[in-house]
Amino acid sequence: MSDVADGLLRGLTADQRSALRFAALLGDDMHVADLVSVLGCSGERVAELVAAGVAAGVLSAAGERVAFRRASVRSALAEQVPPAIRLGLAAHFAHELARADVADDRVPGLLAEAADPLRTWVFEWLAALPEVRLYAAPTVYVDLLARAMRVAPVDEPRWAPLARRFLLVSLRLGQDHAVVGGTAHVVARTADPGTAVEQAARVGVLGADRVETVLADLLADAERVDGHRTSAIRAHAASFCFERGRWDEALRHIAQLDPAAIDHPAFAELHGMRAVIAYRRDDPEAGDRHLRAAGLQPGEPPTGSHLADAAALRAESLGDPGQALRIRAAHPPGTPALVRLAMTLGDQTTAKAAADTVGDARAAAVCRAMLTRDADRLLSLAEADLADGRRLHSAFALEEAAAVLAAAGDRTAARQRLTEATELYAEQDAAWDVRRAEARLRPWGIRRGTRSAHRSARTGWAALTATELRVSRLVARGLSNLDIARQLMLSRNTVQTHVSNVLAKLGCRSRVELARMVTLNEPAG
């Protein structure tokens, strides 16, 4: 076919032949204005080119529209452009058409031919493009958005909006696997910031609030598009909240799942998640019930990470740490909880082996500090986790630091860290963790201080649950119920219920009075 194309071009000038080869990169048909944009020449020159192409039998023209007469000839002409030049021209042409605001799928088509890395303008253009344009050609844009998510630099400020758009377009296409995988990618990229130094460099760029915005928008769009397919998204939202120690929100997401979904074997891990929360909240009956709902019978080996965690918690709460260790060791990768158990039982070999397989960078650093009994490092990591909103992770590191300090004879510092850890555990009603932490320090005669609030209070600031505290802080910042609902991934009605409960517990008559109470009780916030 290349010979045919060469024959058709024989009567044209060298410049015209080159221009037609470049024009062939745009596709089978185009607008005259497109040629003006990408070729960088005047309208008169383009008109001459089109006339020559029509006379040669290469092009056809109708008004401002121009098309290649034969797709095979167009393809042959495009292949005559050397590959390296073709890659560069594809990116250049895409940029020019984007600047001209061409409203078809030509730009993503050209970018599909362009080499990595994608230029900064691509991220800006994709993030600013009207969503209706994405939905007009979703199969084209979903691939480009996936690629942009994959190759965007770690500090790319538009990464989260691009991720949101990818998930929404995938949802519209019915690509549930892409939605699930993409949501997991969002959580992984944002919720595992690595070391404290890396987190300091990335804070404000890929913060957890970005993930919450993506998930909240995705859930809202899923309900509009196809409500029954929100289960996978809500499951990931539950997982995100669970990993950040926001158990009430995690449980609420699970409760809002379609009953058929929660009973499906694919969602068994959600039962494990609920069981973990129950055991750590010192409610073994509920924990056992959730394990049975997952199809796990007493003594049966668990299959998933949350189910294994729950089964190990059950064994440890029943006074069998050896069985708990065996359950955790049988489910790699390692975890700080496994390292703690192994060190408690004097099994340094298992503790070191587990620490070497921990996947999360921050958790791995905690394990290394546990093994070296580095209290300063544990406290630094606890502070980083607290700043990142991982409050239960922070509590664990504080507990370990307290144990190290107690063993070193620093009773005052150990008591301080134990008190801080138990307060963080108490925020989520993790009564079993509080008892365990206190029991670990008891051999040194160390008990927590008096700062911890008694959760038995029914009125006043001490009566607020962890979720009510978060809602109160957001009210004090002036957020509406709708804004709070979006940020915490709750329904507006749920937020209204929390606000009403808070006002009643505090005896406040308005949001203004509530904001004043927050200021009085948390002046540093």
Side-chain angles (χ1 to χ4, degrees), residues 311-461:
L313 284 167
R314 182 179 188 277
E316 192 172 0
S317 66
L318 291 174
D320 192 349
Q323 174 65 3
L325 177 64
R326 288 189 290 275
I327 292 172
R328 291 192 183 280
H331 288 82
T335 64
L338 171 55
V339 174
R340 174 186 61 79
L341 265 174
M343 292 182 69
T344 299
L345 295 174
D347 188 346
Q348 291 295 116
T349 300
T350 298
K352 291 177 180 178
D356 288 340
T357 63
V358 176
D360 178 277
R362 184 82 59 77
V366 168
C367 292
R368 289 192 295 271
M370 291 166 65
L371 289 171
T372 58
R373 303 187 184 280
D374 188 341
D376 289 339
R377 178 62 172 152
L378 285 166
L379 293 175
S380 174
L381 291 165
E383 183 178 352
D385 274 327
L386 191 61
D388 191 39
R390 293 161 38 125
R391 300 175 74 81
L392 287 175
H393 293 273
S394 179
F396 182 93
L398 285 167
E399 178 189 337
E400 294 304 316
V404 172
L405 290 167
D410 193 342
R411 294 164 54 89
T412 300
R415 179 179 294 106
Q416 177 187 351
R417 301 311 180 186
L418 173 63
T419 300
E420 293 171 355
T422 53
E423 285 181 340
L424 290 173
Y425 285 137
E427 283 185 357
Q428 289 297 334
D429 294 327
W432 181 81
D433 293 85
V434 172
R435 287 196 294 105
R436 183 199 63 237
E438 290 180 323
R440 292 181 68 187
L441 276 291
R442 198 169 293 133
W444 288 279
I446 296 172
R447 288 173 172 78
R448 58 175 164 152
T450 59
R451 289 170 50 194
S452 295
H454 295 291
R455 294 305 302 274
S456 59
R458 296 184 180 276
T459 60
W461 193 255

Side-chain angles (χ1 to χ4, degrees), residues 201-322:
R202 296 167 72 170
V203 69
V205 178
L206 298 175
D209 57 327
R210 292 287 191 86
V211 181
E212 295 184 18
T213 299
V214 170
L215 289 172
D217 288 348
L218 187 62
L219 281 168
D221 199 76
E223 293 287 357
R224 291 195 301 270
V225 176
D226 194 351
H228 79 275
R229 289 173 46 236
T230 63
S231 296
I233 305 166
R234 195 170 292 283
H236 277 282
S239 179
F240 173 76
C241 292
F242 176 83
E243 293 301 330
R244 300 191 73 79
R246 288 159 45 180
W247 291 347
D248 289 335
E249 288 98 320
L251 292 173
R252 193 169 293 110
H253 280 298
I254 296 173
Q256 291 173 347
L257 283 169
D258 185 289
I262 193 64
D263 290 335
H264 193 280
F267 289 88
E269 276 286 80
L270 296 180
H271 292 295
M273 196 182 297
R274 293 200 294 187
V276 168
I277 295 172
Y279 287 125
R280 293 183 68 174
R281 285 182 166 172
D282 215 9
D283 188 355
E285 292 81 6
D288 292 348
R289 185 170 65 253
H290 293 314
L291 286 183
R292 288 194 300 271
L296 187 66
Q297 301 302 320
E300 183 180 351
T303 55
S305 59
H306 291 313
L307 289 171
D309 191 13
L313 284 167
R314 182 179 188 277
E316 192 172 0
S317 66
L318 291 174
D320 192 349

